[in-house]
Every structure is written in structure tokens, then in C-alpha cells.
Amino acid sequence: TVSVIAKAPNANYSDSDAGSKSVTVYSVALTKGTGINTVSGAGNFISGAKTTISATVKTGWTWSNWTGTSTLTSNSNEITVDGNKTWTANTTVNALTFNAQTLTAGTYNTAYSQSFTGASNGSGTYTYAITGVTKDGTAVSISDGKYNGMSLSSTTISGTPTAKGTYVFKIKATDSNTGATKEAEITVVINPYKCAAPTSVAVSTAGAVTWTNSATSACTTHQVKVASGSYATATSGVNKNSDIVAATGSRTVSVIAKAPNANYSDSDA
């Protein structure tokens, strides 16, 4: 009730009776749901007054609606206060974008480091974890925190690969603020290490073939062929006279360093 009186100016007068008017006061209560940054427009209001309820959304979420006294789809609404009202501001978590990628290839037993494009469409702060690794379709076990010599740090796969092959890293991105997750496959091809070619190949007039062995320490076996013949294992100084003089004209003698296992490839001749 609001009351108004006429005040006596001096002792010869007395105050008037009150003139009064009853008004009703209602409340507007607002609650922040997950992902809501701020809400405004709440308070107590005289019946018939207007207020605008508004909400702002945190990065990583998308506005959904107000629920409560009624469902409102806009995040900002002018309300006529004609009763007690309550609303909750709601959002939905953004789905992350994180795509499958193939990184630049590496080489067996050679330091490797490549980065992939991280997640987006979230709050901007993400963590990454390996959930599994396969090599040529077969699961790879972790050892000393690495998968065949390779490990993950943020968005970088690095290390010294201990086996050649096609690796598929299954990596889960997690939004540090919203909790949203997305998994993507990151493919890394590790190529065989190519044996260094023998050098200083020479052929004597007696048909002896000599060379300086491959500089790749693991590639200790060498093979020789004459013209279009087949490669045969040999050591420097091998005599190939009979093969060389089997035909007249120019004859090419080739020497290669042979790959010792699948992690290496034969050298060029």
C-alpha cells in the first residue's frame, strides 16, 4: 500500500487522513544454466511494469532457450511483469570440429616431428590424448610412453621411429572448458631407410669389380650384376670377367647395397 497525507503546516492544523493506493509487487528470478556467462533483468517490479531479461553465452556453447514460466527462444526478451516469474537460461555444447589427417611421411630410425591441425568450434582450449595406434592394421603397444619410438605432445607427433609402416594414431580432443570430445585418425607413413649406394665402383681390365662399401652401417651386404643379368651377392674385388666379355660393346656393371631387413630399402646402383 502506498499512502499520501497533507502535512499540518503548524500547530493550528493537523495532518490529513491518508490517501492510499494498493499495488502488487512481483518478482522475476533468473538462473544461469551451464554455459551461460551473465543474466540480467531480474528483480522486484510493480505489477504491469516491464523488464528485459537477457543472457550472454560463454565461448564453446550455443544459445538454446529460456525455460520456466514460459519457453522463450530469444536470449533477450521484454517481459510484462503480471505475476511472479522464473526462468533458466539454457545452452547446448558446441560439437567440436576435428578432422582426419595424413601428415608428412618420415623415415625409419630418423628423428621425426610433425604437427596436425587441432580441434576447433569449442572454447579454444583443448587437450589431446592417444586412444590407440595401429601399424599396417595391427595394434601397437605403448612402451616407455612411446609407440614404436613415437609419442604425442599437444598437436605434435614426434620421436625416432623404430619400425617402418603406415601408422594410424587415434587421437581424442577434449575441450578443457565444455568437456566436449571428438576423435580423429592421424596417419603417419614411416618409409624404409634407403641404404647409401656404394661408391668408387671400378672395373679392371681383368674383370675385377671393386667399390667402397655403403656408408650405411647396417647395409653390409652388396650385390653385383653385369648388364641385364641378375644381381648376385659379392664382395669388393669379385671377378666378373666372364660375364663382362660375354658380349661385345658397352657393358654396365652395377653394384648395390642390399637392405638387411624390411626397415631398409636397397640402395641405388
Side-chain angles (χ1 to χ4, degrees):
T1 300
V2 178
S3 301
V4 181
I5 63 170
K7 191 67 178 172
N10 54 52
N12 292 316
Y13 292 83
S14 62
D15 295 344
S16 74
D17 293 330
S20 63
K21 173 67 176 179
S22 293
V23 294
T24 303
V25 176
Y26 296 112
S27 68
V28 175
L30 304 177
T31 301
K32 295 191 296 182
T34 302
I36 294 296
N37 191 30
T38 63
V39 293
S40 60
N44 294 333
F45 302 88
I46 296 172
S47 178
K50 296 182 183 298
T51 183
T52 297
I53 61 170
S54 297
T56 60
V57 179
K58 295 178 180 178
T59 302
W61 283 267
T62 297
W63 170 255
S64 180
N65 57 19
W66 293 97
T67 53
T69 299
S70 59
T71 299
L72 306 171
T73 57
S74 174
N75 70 316
S76 182
N77 304 269
E78 185 180 69
I79 303 300
T80 298
V81 183
D82 53 10
N84 292 323
K85 299 178 184 293
T86 60
W87 281 283
T88 298
N90 304 297
T91 63
T92 55
V93 175
N94 290 356
L96 299 186
T97 299
F98 185 33
N99 298 321
Q101 299 160 58
T102 298
L103 304 186
T104 300
T107 302
Y108 164 73
N109 202 34
T110 302
Y112 180 84
S113 181
Q114 290 292 322
S115 297
F116 53 84
T117 300
S120 60
N121 201 44
S123 69
T125 304
Y126 311 98
T127 60
Y128 300 89
I130 295 173
T131 61
V133 178
T134 61
K135 181 181 83 72
D136 300 330
T138 301
V140 177
S141 298
I142 190 169
S143 176
D144 295 328
K146 297 182 179 182
Y147 295 85
N148 282 5
M150 293 178 286
S151 61
L152 175 70
S153 177
S154 185
T155 58
T156 299
I157 294 173
S158 63
T160 300
T162 59
K164 67 97 173 177
T166 298
Y167 291 82
V168 178
F169 290 80
K170 292 184 178 181
I171 296 176
K172 182 171 73 173
T174 301
D175 189 312
S176 301
N177 295 312
T178 70
T181 63
K182 180 70 181 294
E183 191 169 271
E185 293 186 346
I186 308 299
T187 300
V188 176
V189 175
I190 300 300
N191 293 315
Y193 189 100
K194 191 177 186 67
C195 295
T199 58
S200 304
V201 177
V203 180
S204 73
T205 55
V209 182
T210 59
W211 62 85
T212 299
N213 287 347
S214 169
T216 305
S217 61
C219 303
T220 57
T221 299
H222 296 75
Q223 294 186 339
V224 180
K225 76 170 182 177
V226 176
S228 59
S230 299
Y231 277 108
T233 300
T235 57
S236 181
V238 63
N239 192 287
K240 288 291 183 177
N241 189 65
S242 60
D243 292 333
I244 295 170
V245 301
T248 59
S250 178
R251 307 281 280 164
T252 299
V253 177
S254 302
V255 182
I256 62 170
K258 193 66 178 172
N261 55 53
N263 288 317
Y264 293 83
S265 63
D266 295 348
S267 74
D268 294 330

Coordinates of all heavy atoms in Angstrom, one line a residue, residues 69-153:
T69 N 8.7 -20.1 -16.5 CA 7.3 -19.6 -16.6 C 6.7 -19.9 -18.0 O 5.6 -20.2 -18.2 CB 7.2 -18.2 -16.2 OG1 7.7 -18.0 -14.8 CG2 5.8 -17.6 -16.3
S70 N 7.6 -19.7 -18.9 CA 7.3 -20.0 -20.3 C 8.6 -20.3 -21.1 O 9.6 -20.1 -20.5 CB 6.5 -18.8 -21.0 OG 7.4 -17.6 -21.0
T71 N 8.5 -20.8 -22.3 CA 9.7 -21.1 -23.1 C 9.9 -19.9 -24.0 O 9.0 -19.6 -24.8 CB 9.5 -22.4 -23.8 OG1 9.4 -23.5 -22.9 CG2 10.8 -22.7 -24.7
L72 N 11.0 -19.3 -24.0 CA 11.4 -18.2 -24.8 C 12.6 -18.6 -25.7 O 13.6 -19.0 -25.1 CB 11.7 -17.0 -24.0 CG 10.6 -16.6 -23.0 CD1 11.1 -15.5 -22.1 CD2 9.3 -16.1 -23.7
T73 N 12.5 -18.4 -27.0 CA 13.6 -18.8 -27.8 C 14.7 -17.8 -28.0 O 15.9 -18.1 -28.2 CB 13.1 -19.2 -29.2 OG1 12.4 -18.1 -29.8 CG2 12.2 -20.4 -29.1
S74 N 14.4 -16.5 -27.8 CA 15.4 -15.4 -27.9 C 16.1 -15.3 -26.6 O 15.6 -15.5 -25.5 CB 14.7 -14.1 -28.3 OG 15.7 -13.1 -28.3
N75 N 17.4 -14.9 -26.7 CA 18.2 -14.7 -25.5 C 17.9 -13.3 -24.8 O 18.3 -13.1 -23.7 CB 19.7 -14.8 -25.7 CG 20.2 -13.7 -26.5 OD1 19.6 -13.3 -27.5 ND2 21.4 -13.1 -26.2
S76 N 17.1 -12.4 -25.5 CA 16.7 -11.1 -25.0 C 15.3 -10.9 -25.2 O 14.8 -11.0 -26.4 CB 17.6 -10.0 -25.6 OG 17.2 -8.8 -25.1
N77 N 14.5 -10.7 -24.2 CA 13.0 -10.6 -24.3 C 12.5 -9.5 -23.3 O 12.9 -9.5 -22.2 CB 12.3 -11.9 -23.9 CG 12.8 -13.1 -24.8 OD1 12.3 -13.4 -25.8 ND2 13.9 -13.8 -24.3
E78 N 11.6 -8.7 -23.8 CA 10.9 -7.7 -23.0 C 9.7 -8.4 -22.3 O 8.9 -9.0 -23.0 CB 10.4 -6.5 -23.8 CG 9.8 -5.4 -22.8 CD 9.4 -4.2 -23.6 OE1 8.4 -4.2 -24.3 OE2 10.1 -3.1 -23.4
I79 N 9.6 -8.3 -21.0 CA 8.6 -9.0 -20.3 C 7.7 -8.0 -19.5 O 8.1 -7.1 -18.9 CB 9.2 -10.0 -19.2 CG1 10.2 -10.9 -19.9 CG2 8.1 -10.7 -18.4 CD1 9.5 -11.8 -20.9
T80 N 6.4 -8.2 -19.6 CA 5.4 -7.5 -18.7 C 5.2 -8.3 -17.5 O 4.8 -9.5 -17.5 CB 4.0 -7.3 -19.4 OG1 4.2 -6.6 -20.6 CG2 3.1 -6.6 -18.5
V81 N 5.5 -7.6 -16.3 CA 5.5 -8.3 -15.1 C 4.1 -8.3 -14.5 O 3.6 -7.3 -14.0 CB 6.5 -7.7 -14.1 CG1 6.5 -8.5 -12.7 CG2 7.9 -7.6 -14.6
D82 N 3.4 -9.4 -14.7 CA 2.0 -9.5 -14.2 C 1.8 -10.7 -13.2 O 0.7 -11.2 -13.0 CB 1.0 -9.7 -15.4 CG 1.4 -10.8 -16.3 OD1 2.3 -11.6 -15.9 OD2 0.8 -11.0 -17.4
G83 N 2.9 -11.1 -12.7 CA 2.9 -12.2 -11.7 C 4.4 -12.6 -11.4 O 5.3 -12.1 -12.1
N84 N 4.6 -13.4 -10.4 CA 5.9 -13.9 -10.1 C 6.4 -14.8 -11.3 O 5.6 -15.7 -11.7 CB 5.9 -14.7 -8.8 CG 5.7 -13.8 -7.6 OD1 6.2 -12.7 -7.6 ND2 5.0 -14.3 -6.6
K85 N 7.6 -14.6 -11.7 CA 8.1 -15.4 -12.9 C 9.5 -15.9 -12.6 O 10.3 -15.2 -11.9 CB 8.1 -14.5 -14.1 CG 6.7 -14.0 -14.5 CD 6.7 -13.1 -15.7 CE 5.3 -12.5 -16.0 NZ 4.4 -13.5 -16.4
T86 N 9.8 -17.0 -13.1 CA 11.1 -17.6 -13.0 C 11.5 -18.2 -14.4 O 10.7 -18.8 -15.1 CB 11.2 -18.7 -12.0 OG1 10.3 -19.8 -12.3 CG2 10.8 -18.2 -10.6
W87 N 12.8 -18.0 -14.7 CA 13.3 -18.5 -16.0 C 14.8 -19.0 -15.7 O 15.5 -18.4 -14.9 CB 13.4 -17.5 -17.1 CG 12.0 -17.3 -17.8 CD1 11.4 -18.1 -18.7 CD2 11.2 -16.2 -17.6 NE1 10.2 -17.6 -19.1 CE2 10.0 -16.4 -18.4 CE3 11.3 -15.0 -16.8 CZ2 9.0 -15.5 -18.5 CZ3 10.2 -14.1 -16.9 CH2 9.1 -14.3 -17.7
T88 N 15.1 -20.0 -16.5 CA 16.5 -20.5 -16.5 C 17.0 -20.4 -17.9 O 16.3 -20.8 -18.9 CB 16.6 -22.0 -16.1 OG1 16.2 -22.1 -14.7 CG2 18.1 -22.5 -16.2
A89 N 18.2 -19.8 -18.1 CA 18.8 -19.6 -19.4 C 19.6 -20.9 -19.7 O 20.4 -21.4 -18.9 CB 19.8 -18.4 -19.4
N90 N 19.4 -21.4 -20.9 CA 20.0 -22.7 -21.3 C 20.8 -22.6 -22.6 O 20.6 -21.8 -23.5 CB 18.9 -23.7 -21.6 CG 17.9 -23.9 -20.4 OD1 18.4 -24.3 -19.3 ND2 16.7 -23.5 -20.5
T91 N 21.8 -23.5 -22.7 CA 22.7 -23.6 -23.9 C 22.8 -25.0 -24.3 O 22.4 -26.0 -23.5 CB 24.1 -23.0 -23.6 OG1 24.7 -23.8 -22.6 CG2 24.0 -21.6 -23.2
T92 N 23.4 -25.3 -25.4 CA 23.9 -26.6 -25.8 C 25.4 -26.5 -26.1 O 25.9 -25.4 -26.5 CB 23.2 -27.1 -27.1 OG1 23.4 -26.1 -28.1 CG2 21.7 -27.3 -26.8
V93 N 26.1 -27.5 -25.8 CA 27.6 -27.6 -26.0 C 27.9 -27.7 -27.5 O 27.3 -28.5 -28.2 CB 28.2 -28.7 -25.3 CG1 29.7 -28.8 -25.6 CG2 28.0 -28.6 -23.8
N94 N 28.8 -26.9 -28.0 CA 29.2 -26.9 -29.4 C 29.9 -28.3 -29.7 O 30.7 -28.7 -28.9 CB 30.2 -25.8 -29.8 CG 29.5 -24.5 -29.8 OD1 28.3 -24.3 -29.6 ND2 30.3 -23.4 -30.0
A95 N 29.5 -28.9 -30.8 CA 30.2 -30.1 -31.3 C 31.6 -29.7 -31.8 O 31.7 -28.7 -32.6 CB 29.4 -30.8 -32.3
L96 N 32.6 -30.3 -31.4 CA 34.0 -30.0 -31.9 C 34.2 -30.4 -33.4 O 33.6 -31.4 -33.8 CB 35.1 -30.7 -31.0 CG 35.1 -30.3 -29.6 CD1 36.3 -31.0 -28.9 CD2 35.1 -28.8 -29.3
T97 N 35.0 -29.6 -34.0 CA 35.5 -30.0 -35.4 C 36.9 -30.5 -35.2 O 37.8 -29.8 -34.7 CB 35.4 -28.8 -36.3 OG1 34.1 -28.3 -36.4 CG2 36.0 -29.2 -37.7
F98 N 37.2 -31.7 -35.7 CA 38.5 -32.3 -35.6 C 38.6 -33.4 -36.6 O 37.9 -34.4 -36.5 CB 38.7 -32.9 -34.2 CG 40.1 -33.4 -33.9 CD1 41.2 -32.8 -34.5 CD2 40.3 -34.5 -33.1 CE1 42.5 -33.3 -34.3 CE2 41.6 -35.0 -32.8 CZ 42.7 -34.4 -33.4
N99 N 39.3 -33.1 -37.7 CA 39.3 -34.0 -38.9 C 40.4 -34.9 -39.0 O 41.5 -34.6 -38.6 CB 39.2 -33.1 -40.1 CG 37.9 -32.2 -40.2 OD1 36.9 -32.7 -39.8 ND2 38.1 -31.0 -40.6
A100 N 40.2 -36.0 -39.7 CA 41.3 -37.0 -40.0 C 42.3 -36.3 -40.9 O 41.9 -35.5 -41.8 CB 40.7 -38.2 -40.7
Q101 N 43.6 -36.6 -40.7 CA 44.6 -36.0 -41.5 C 45.8 -37.0 -41.7 O 45.9 -38.0 -41.0 CB 45.2 -34.8 -40.7 CG 44.2 -33.7 -40.4 CD 44.6 -32.9 -39.2 OE1 45.7 -32.2 -39.2 NE2 43.8 -32.8 -38.2
T102 N 46.5 -36.8 -42.8 CA 47.7 -37.5 -43.1 C 48.9 -36.6 -43.1 O 48.9 -35.6 -43.8 CB 47.6 -38.2 -44.5 OG1 46.5 -39.1 -44.5 CG2 48.9 -38.9 -44.8
L103 N 49.9 -36.9 -42.2 CA 51.0 -36.0 -42.0 C 52.1 -36.3 -43.0 O 52.1 -37.3 -43.7 CB 51.5 -36.1 -40.6 CG 50.5 -35.8 -39.5 CD1 51.2 -35.8 -38.1 CD2 49.8 -34.5 -39.7
T104 N 53.1 -35.4 -43.1 CA 54.3 -35.7 -43.9 C 54.9 -36.9 -43.5 O 55.1 -37.2 -42.3 CB 55.2 -34.5 -43.8 OG1 54.5 -33.3 -44.3 CG2 56.5 -34.7 -44.7
A105 N 55.4 -37.7 -44.5 CA 56.0 -39.0 -44.1 C 57.3 -38.9 -43.5 O 58.0 -37.8 -43.6 CB 56.1 -39.8 -45.4
G106 N 57.7 -39.9 -42.7 CA 59.0 -39.9 -42.1 C 59.8 -41.1 -42.5 O 59.4 -41.8 -43.5
T107 N 61.0 -41.3 -41.9 CA 61.9 -42.4 -42.3 C 62.3 -43.2 -41.1 O 62.5 -42.6 -40.0 CB 63.1 -41.8 -43.0 OG1 62.7 -41.1 -44.1 CG2 64.1 -42.9 -43.4
Y108 N 62.4 -44.5 -41.2 CA 62.8 -45.4 -40.1 C 64.1 -44.9 -39.5 O 65.1 -44.5 -40.2 CB 63.0 -46.8 -40.7 CG 63.8 -47.7 -39.8 CD1 63.3 -48.2 -38.6 CD2 65.1 -48.1 -40.1 CE1 64.0 -49.0 -37.8 CE2 65.9 -48.9 -39.3 CZ 65.3 -49.4 -38.1 OH 66.0 -50.2 -37.3
N109 N 64.2 -44.9 -38.2 CA 65.4 -44.6 -37.4 C 65.9 -43.2 -37.7 O 67.1 -42.9 -37.5 CB 66.5 -45.7 -37.7 CG 67.5 -45.7 -36.6 OD1 67.2 -45.6 -35.4 ND2 68.8 -46.0 -37.0
T110 N 65.0 -42.3 -38.0 CA 65.4 -40.9 -38.3 C 64.4 -40.0 -37.5 O 63.2 -40.2 -37.6 CB 65.3 -40.6 -39.8 OG1 66.2 -41.5 -40.5 CG2 65.7 -39.2 -40.1
A111 N 65.0 -39.0 -36.8 CA 64.1 -38.1 -36.0 C 63.0 -37.6 -36.8 O 63.1 -37.1 -37.9 CB 65.0 -37.0 -35.4
Y112 N 61.8 -37.6 -36.2 CA 60.5 -37.2 -36.9 C 59.8 -36.3 -36.0 O 59.7 -36.5 -34.7 CB 59.7 -38.5 -37.1 CG 58.4 -38.1 -37.8 CD1 58.3 -38.0 -39.2 CD2 57.2 -38.0 -37.1 CE1 57.1 -37.7 -39.8 CE2 56.0 -37.7 -37.7 CZ 55.9 -37.6 -39.1 OH 54.8 -37.3 -39.7
S113 N 59.2 -35.2 -36.5 CA 58.3 -34.3 -35.8 C 57.4 -33.6 -36.8 O 57.9 -32.9 -37.6 CB 59.2 -33.3 -35.0 OG 58.3 -32.4 -34.3
Q114 N 56.1 -33.8 -36.6 CA 55.1 -33.2 -37.5 C 53.9 -32.9 -36.6 O 53.5 -33.6 -35.7 CB 54.7 -34.1 -38.6 CG 55.8 -34.2 -39.7 CD 56.0 -33.0 -40.5 OE1 55.1 -32.2 -40.8 NE2 57.3 -32.7 -40.8
S115 N 53.2 -31.7 -36.9 CA 52.1 -31.3 -36.2 C 50.8 -31.4 -37.0 O 50.8 -31.2 -38.2 CB 52.2 -29.8 -35.7 OG 53.3 -29.7 -34.8
F116 N 49.7 -31.7 -36.4 CA 48.4 -31.8 -37.1 C 47.5 -30.6 -36.7 O 47.8 -29.9 -35.7 CB 47.7 -33.1 -36.7 CG 47.5 -33.4 -35.3 CD1 46.4 -32.9 -34.5 CD2 48.4 -34.3 -34.6 CE1 46.3 -33.1 -33.2 CE2 48.2 -34.5 -33.2 CZ 47.2 -34.0 -32.5
T117 N 46.5 -30.4 -37.5 CA 45.6 -29.3 -37.2 C 44.7 -29.7 -36.0 O 44.0 -30.7 -36.1 CB 44.8 -28.9 -38.4 OG1 45.7 -28.5 -39.5 CG2 43.8 -27.8 -38.1
G118 N 44.6 -28.9 -35.0 CA 43.9 -29.3 -33.8 C 42.4 -29.0 -33.9 O 41.9 -28.6 -35.0
A119 N 41.7 -29.2 -32.8 CA 40.2 -29.1 -32.8 C 39.8 -27.6 -32.9 O 40.6 -26.7 -32.6 CB 39.7 -29.7 -31.6
S120 N 38.6 -27.4 -33.3 CA 38.0 -26.0 -33.3 C 36.5 -26.1 -33.0 O 36.0 -27.2 -32.8 CB 38.3 -25.4 -34.7 OG 37.7 -26.1 -35.7
N121 N 35.9 -24.9 -33.0 CA 34.5 -24.8 -32.7 C 34.1 -24.9 -31.3 O 32.9 -25.0 -30.9 CB 33.6 -25.7 -33.6 CG 32.2 -25.2 -33.7 OD1 32.0 -24.0 -34.0 ND2 31.2 -26.1 -33.5
G122 N 35.1 -25.0 -30.4 CA 34.8 -25.1 -28.9 C 35.2 -23.8 -28.3 O 35.2 -22.7 -28.8
S123 N 35.7 -24.0 -27.0 CA 36.1 -22.8 -26.2 C 37.5 -22.2 -26.6 O 37.8 -21.1 -26.2 CB 36.1 -23.1 -24.7 OG 37.1 -24.0 -24.4
G124 N 38.2 -23.1 -27.3 CA 39.6 -22.6 -27.7 C 40.7 -23.2 -26.9 O 41.9 -23.0 -27.3
T125 N 40.4 -24.0 -25.9 CA 41.4 -24.6 -25.1 C 41.1 -26.1 -25.1 O 40.1 -26.6 -24.7 CB 41.4 -24.1 -23.6 OG1 41.5 -22.7 -23.6 CG2 42.5 -24.7 -22.8
Y126 N 42.1 -26.9 -25.6 CA 41.9 -28.3 -25.8 C 43.1 -29.1 -25.3 O 44.2 -28.6 -25.2 CB 41.7 -28.6 -27.3 CG 40.7 -27.7 -28.0 CD1 41.1 -26.6 -28.7 CD2 39.4 -28.0 -27.9 CE1 40.2 -25.8 -29.4 CE2 38.4 -27.1 -28.5 CZ 38.9 -26.0 -29.3 OH 38.0 -25.2 -29.9
T127 N 42.8 -30.4 -25.0 CA 43.8 -31.3 -24.7 C 43.7 -32.5 -25.6 O 42.6 -32.7 -26.2 CB 43.8 -31.8 -23.2 OG1 42.5 -32.5 -23.0 CG2 43.9 -30.7 -22.2
Y128 N 44.8 -33.2 -25.8 CA 44.8 -34.3 -26.8 C 45.4 -35.6 -26.2 O 46.4 -35.5 -25.4 CB 45.6 -33.9 -28.0 CG 45.0 -32.7 -28.7 CD1 45.5 -31.4 -28.4 CD2 44.1 -32.9 -29.7 CE1 44.9 -30.3 -29.0 CE2 43.5 -31.7 -30.3 CZ 43.9 -30.5 -30.0 OH 43.4 -29.4 -30.6
A129 N 44.8 -36.7 -26.5 CA 45.3 -38.0 -25.9 C 45.2 -39.1 -27.0 O 44.2 -39.1 -27.7 CB 44.5 -38.4 -24.7
I130 N 46.2 -40.0 -27.0 CA 46.1 -41.1 -27.9 C 45.2 -42.2 -27.3 O 45.4 -42.6 -26.1 CB 47.5 -41.7 -28.2 CG1 48.4 -40.6 -28.9 CG2 47.5 -43.0 -29.0 CD1 49.9 -41.1 -29.1
T131 N 44.3 -42.7 -28.0 CA 43.4 -43.7 -27.6 C 43.8 -45.1 -28.2 O 43.3 -46.1 -27.7 CB 41.9 -43.4 -27.8 OG1 41.7 -43.3 -29.3 CG2 41.5 -42.1 -27.2
G132 N 44.7 -45.1 -29.2 CA 45.1 -46.3 -29.8 C 45.9 -46.0 -31.0 O 45.8 -45.0 -31.7
V133 N 46.8 -47.0 -31.4 CA 47.7 -46.8 -32.5 C 47.8 -48.2 -33.3 O 47.9 -49.2 -32.6 CB 49.1 -46.4 -32.1 CG1 50.0 -46.3 -33.4 CG2 49.1 -45.1 -31.4
T134 N 47.7 -48.1 -34.6 CA 47.9 -49.4 -35.4 C 49.0 -49.1 -36.4 O 49.3 -48.0 -36.8 CB 46.6 -49.8 -36.2 OG1 46.3 -48.7 -37.1 CG2 45.5 -50.0 -35.2
K135 N 49.7 -50.2 -36.7 CA 50.7 -50.1 -37.8 C 50.4 -51.2 -38.8 O 50.3 -52.4 -38.5 CB 52.1 -50.4 -37.2 CG 53.2 -50.3 -38.3 CD 54.6 -50.6 -37.7 CE 54.9 -52.1 -37.6 NZ 55.1 -52.7 -39.0
D136 N 50.1 -50.7 -40.0 CA 49.7 -51.7 -41.1 C 48.5 -52.5 -40.6 O 48.4 -53.7 -40.9 CB 50.8 -52.6 -41.5 CG 52.0 -51.8 -42.0 OD1 51.8 -50.7 -42.6 OD2 53.2 -52.2 -41.9
G137 N 47.6 -51.9 -39.8 CA 46.4 -52.5 -39.4 C 46.5 -53.3 -38.1 O 45.4 -53.9 -37.6
T138 N 47.6 -53.5 -37.5 CA 47.8 -54.2 -36.3 C 48.1 -53.3 -35.2 O 48.9 -52.3 -35.3 CB 49.0 -55.2 -36.5 OG1 48.7 -56.1 -37.6 CG2 49.2 -56.0 -35.2
A139 N 47.5 -53.5 -34.0 CA 47.6 -52.7 -32.8 C 49.1 -52.6 -32.4 O 49.8 -53.6 -32.4 CB 46.8 -53.2 -31.7
V140 N 49.5 -51.4 -32.0 CA 50.9 -51.2 -31.5 C 50.8 -50.9 -30.0 O 50.0 -50.1 -29.6 CB 51.5 -50.0 -32.2 CG1 52.9 -49.8 -31.6 CG2 51.6 -50.3 -33.7
S141 N 51.6 -51.6 -29.2 CA 51.6 -51.4 -27.8 C 52.5 -50.2 -27.4 O 53.5 -50.0 -28.1 CB 52.1 -52.7 -27.0 OG 51.2 -53.8 -27.3
I142 N 52.1 -49.6 -26.3 CA 53.0 -48.5 -25.8 C 54.1 -49.0 -25.0 O 54.0 -50.0 -24.3 CB 52.1 -47.5 -24.9 CG1 52.9 -46.2 -24.6 CG2 51.6 -48.2 -23.7 CD1 52.1 -45.1 -24.0
S143 N 55.3 -48.4 -25.1 CA 56.5 -48.9 -24.4 C 57.3 -47.6 -24.0 O 57.6 -46.8 -24.9 CB 57.3 -49.8 -25.3 OG 58.6 -50.1 -24.6
D144 N 57.5 -47.4 -22.7 CA 58.2 -46.2 -22.2 C 57.5 -45.0 -22.7 O 58.2 -44.0 -23.1 CB 59.7 -46.3 -22.7 CG 60.5 -47.4 -22.0 OD1 60.1 -47.8 -20.9 OD2 61.4 -47.9 -22.7
G145 N 56.2 -45.0 -22.8 CA 55.4 -43.8 -23.2 C 55.4 -43.6 -24.7 O 55.0 -42.5 -25.1
K146 N 55.9 -44.5 -25.5 CA 56.0 -44.3 -26.9 C 55.4 -45.5 -27.7 O 55.4 -46.6 -27.2 CB 57.5 -44.0 -27.3 CG 58.1 -42.8 -26.7 CD 59.5 -42.6 -27.2 CE 60.1 -41.3 -26.5 NZ 61.4 -41.0 -27.0
Y147 N 55.0 -45.1 -28.9 CA 54.5 -46.2 -29.8 C 55.6 -46.3 -30.9 O 55.7 -45.5 -31.8 CB 53.2 -45.7 -30.4 CG 52.1 -45.7 -29.4 CD1 51.9 -44.5 -28.6 CD2 51.2 -46.7 -29.1 CE1 50.9 -44.4 -27.7 CE2 50.2 -46.7 -28.2 CZ 50.1 -45.5 -27.4 OH 49.1 -45.4 -26.5
N148 N 56.4 -47.4 -30.9 CA 57.4 -47.7 -31.8 C 58.3 -46.4 -31.9 O 58.7 -46.0 -33.0 CB 56.9 -48.1 -33.2 CG 56.5 -49.6 -33.2 OD1 56.5 -50.2 -32.2 ND2 56.1 -50.1 -34.3
G149 N 58.6 -45.8 -30.8 CA 59.5 -44.7 -30.8 C 58.8 -43.3 -30.9 O 59.5 -42.3 -30.8
M150 N 57.5 -43.3 -31.1 CA 56.8 -42.0 -31.4 C 55.8 -41.7 -30.3 O 55.2 -42.6 -29.7 CB 56.1 -42.0 -32.7 CG 57.1 -42.1 -33.9 SD 56.2 -42.2 -35.5 CE 55.7 -43.9 -35.5
S151 N 55.7 -40.4 -29.9 CA 54.7 -40.0 -28.9 C 54.0 -38.7 -29.3 O 54.4 -38.1 -30.3 CB 55.5 -39.9 -27.5 OG 56.5 -38.9 -27.6
L152 N 53.0 -38.4 -28.4 CA 52.2 -37.2 -28.7 C 52.5 -36.1 -27.6 O 52.5 -36.4 -26.4 CB 50.8 -37.6 -28.7 CG 49.7 -36.4 -28.9 CD1 49.8 -35.8 -30.3 CD2 48.3 -36.9 -28.5
S153 N 52.7 -34.9 -28.1 CA 52.7 -33.7 -27.2 C 51.9 -32.6 -27.8 O 52.2 -32.1 -28.9 CB 54.2 -33.3 -27.0 OG 54.2 -32.1 -26.2

